[in-house]
Amino acid sequence: LAFGDCSCTTKAPDGPLPATGQVAAQQGEYLAKLMNKGYDLSPVSQEGVILPPLRHPDHETTVSENIANFATRSDEYAKPFQFLNLGILAYTGGGSALAQVATAPNAEPIKGTGKVGNALWKSVYISKQISWRNRFMVVNDWVRRQIFGRDITRV
């Protein structure tokens, strides 16, 4: 069993997945779901091909798993990992950023640079915070830094 964004590369038609935290987070969530549902994660190979994780016999399937089972014509294996590209964000300093945020899987992404990119970056950053308390603390920190500047007394 391997963890991480670079633990496995495939010869998929789209090429290998990007080595980013976004891929690692989605793979970790996928792996946690498999572990929670009791899939057998020990690698099994058949004719030199490593098979996907086997479903636990007592596990109740969900609607998405039933659809995947129909598509793969098998109900004993886990549905394969699918990466959903949510976009690219890069803070470039000085209140500017680059942003490319996906609104739907096959739709044209929203792109922004400079102040617009920074606004997109901050909105995504805030939305990814776990609690309202964290959101408030992050916004509070941004406002304090804007008014008073960075604290360099500890450098």
Side-chain angles (χ1 to χ4, degrees), residues 14-134:
D14 299 338
L17 297 174
T20 62
Q22 186 180 153
V23 174
Q26 290 182 21
Q27 286 178 334
E29 186 177 331
Y30 171 77
L31 186 59
K33 285 180 183 177
L34 291 183
M35 289 176 166
N36 287 336
K37 291 180 179 179
Y39 278 88
D40 180 15
L41 299 175
S42 56
V44 177
S45 64
Q46 186 177 33
E47 299 174 13
V49 176
I50 296 177
L51 299 175
L54 288 169
R55 182 176 62 86
H56 191 274
D58 299 333
H59 169 67
E60 293 182 27
T61 58
T62 62
V63 173
S64 64
E65 289 173 331
N66 286 333
I67 294 169
N69 294 343
F70 178 77
T72 59
R73 297 187 186 109
S74 172
D75 64 344
E76 59 185 320
Y77 297 110
K79 66 179 183 175
F81 170 74
Q82 290 182 316
F83 171 62
L84 175 61
N85 187 359
L86 300 174
I88 301 167
L89 302 169
Y91 181 70
T92 56
S96 67
L98 304 171
Q100 180 178 337
V101 181
T103 55
N106 292 326
E108 188 69 24
I110 298 171
K111 298 177 183 178
T113 59
K115 300 288 183 194
V116 174
N118 193 31
L120 284 169
W121 183 86
K122 285 184 175 185
S123 66
V124 170
Y125 190 85
I126 288 294
S127 70
K128 288 295 194 178
Q129 297 302 311
I130 295 173
S131 68
W132 284 101
R133 179 180 180 268
N134 286 3

